[in-house]
Amino acid sequence: FMTMKKIRIALTDDHKLIRAGIRLLLEQVDDFEVVLEAANGEELLDALPRKRVDVVLLDINMPVLDGIETTKILRQKFPKVKIIMLSLHDEDRFILHLMELGASGYLLKDAEPEEVEKAIRTVKVGELYFNDTVSKVMLRKATNKSVRNSKVFNYKVDLSERELEVLNLICEGLTNAQIAEEVSLSQRTIEGYRLKMLNKLKVKNTAGLVAYAIKNHLV
């Protein structure tokens, strides 16, 4: 009889009440375990070496060390930890930036419990989680001139037709399994395309791929 492998979660928010509320919500899910709570990024980074954490829920706006700076450091020091950003409002301007930095998901603090659970499970297996608002923001960004002229990705890379097709489906939020079905290839082949694109575009993860695609109008 196997014991259920728990998803270990760190919760970082400077509002005690919000942390308590989210913790309560998470602990109602059988295989979720909140192993760490912190009031800001610095507290989180200090405690992380002593804890095994799978997913960090990270508030964007915090004193001492905010979510954006914390994300940068997490990516370097704890690359395996998945990051979901929490925000009180739709902070459009941050979303693409956070993805480039390596966040795997974005949730509003008033999200439904089911959505929070879904987001955690999604990023845990290495996929990205965006709510509808985020997808809309990304589409709006894609048609926005200032992004078009942005110099973040100023190199053009040749992607094959098939890679572009896979990239488009990744941007639609499909998992490797769903993409494989869609284009009638094996899941392993899709994973191969994904890795090849990561190398070509010199980005760290799927979020980077999506951000690249949007900035270069490939989707």
Side-chain angles (χ1 to χ4, degrees):
F1 180 71
M2 268 173 59
T3 51
M4 186 164 40
K5 201 164 162 35
K6 298 230 178 211
I7 297 180
R8 299 160 64 88
I9 301 162
L11 198 47
T12 311
D13 193 303
D14 55 322
H15 295 101
K16 226 174 176 158
L17 273 174
I18 290 181
R19 283 207 313 270
I22 297 175
R23 180 177 199 131
L24 208 63
L25 190 144
L26 294 175
E27 296 201 321
Q28 286 168 6
V29 183
D30 285 348
D31 57 339
F32 284 7
E33 185 183 0
V34 178
V35 291
L36 174 59
E37 273 190 49
N40 59 58
E42 202 167 86
E43 274 187 24
L44 171 75
L45 292 164
D46 284 349
L48 265 183
R50 298 183 298 282
K51 297 273 183 193
R52 209 185 78 247
V53 170
D54 300 310
V55 179
V56 172
L57 294 181
L58 193 57
D59 184 17
I60 289 183
N61 297 309
M62 295 178 295
V64 194
L65 198 60
D66 68 15
I68 290 181
E69 290 308 312
T70 306
T71 298
K72 289 181 190 167
I73 299 169
L74 278 172
R75 283 274 60 79
Q76 287 171 339
K77 295 193 171 169
F78 306 97
K80 284 199 164 70
V81 174
K82 305 286 187 257
I83 305 166
I84 297 177
M85 305 307 293
L86 295 174
S87 175
L88 220 36
H89 353 262
D90 267 335
E91 312 206 38
D92 298 13
R93 63 209 161 95
F94 286 145
I95 296 173
L96 262 182
H97 186 46
L98 289 164
M99 287 169 49
E100 284 171 356
L101 293 177
S104 297
Y106 183 89
L107 277 175
L108 292 177
K109 288 186 186 176
D110 60 359
E112 296 293 329
E114 300 76 42
E115 192 185 356
V116 178
E117 181 180 344
K118 185 179 170 194
I120 289 171
R121 293 194 189 288
T122 303
V123 303
K124 171 69 172 71
V125 295
E127 304 288 348
L128 291 181
Y129 181 84
F130 300 121
N131 58 14
D132 293 342
T133 335
V134 175
S135 310
K136 288 191 191 94
V137 165
M138 283 160 54
L139 286 172
R140 204 163 59 235
K141 279 275 199 304
T143 55
N144 175 336
K145 285 204 177 56
S146 65
V147 172
R148 201 163 308 165
N149 304 330
S150 119
K151 287 281 174 281
V152 179
F153 293 120
N154 51 9
Y155 43 85
K156 270 278 169 262
V157 176
D158 287 330
L159 295 177
S160 68
E161 294 269 307
R162 182 63 98 181
E163 285 169 343
L164 282 171
E165 185 182 7
V166 171
L167 184 56
N168 261 292
L169 295 168
I170 289 173
C171 290
E172 282 173 28
L174 272 61
T175 62
N176 283 349
Q178 290 166 326
I179 294 173
E181 202 167 305
E182 182 86 15
V183 297
S184 312
L185 290 168
S186 75
Q187 210 168 314
R188 178 175 285 177
T189 306
I190 299 302
E191 188 52 48
Y193 279 122
R194 190 190 290 253
L195 289 171
K196 209 187 274 174
M197 286 191 285
L198 289 176
N199 289 330
K200 271 191 189 179
L201 305 179
K202 300 182 175 55
V203 291
K204 291 190 186 65
N205 55 21
T206 311
L209 287 178
V210 176
Y212 177 89
I214 290 166
K215 290 224 160 146
N216 288 291
H217 300 278
L218 300 175
V219 288

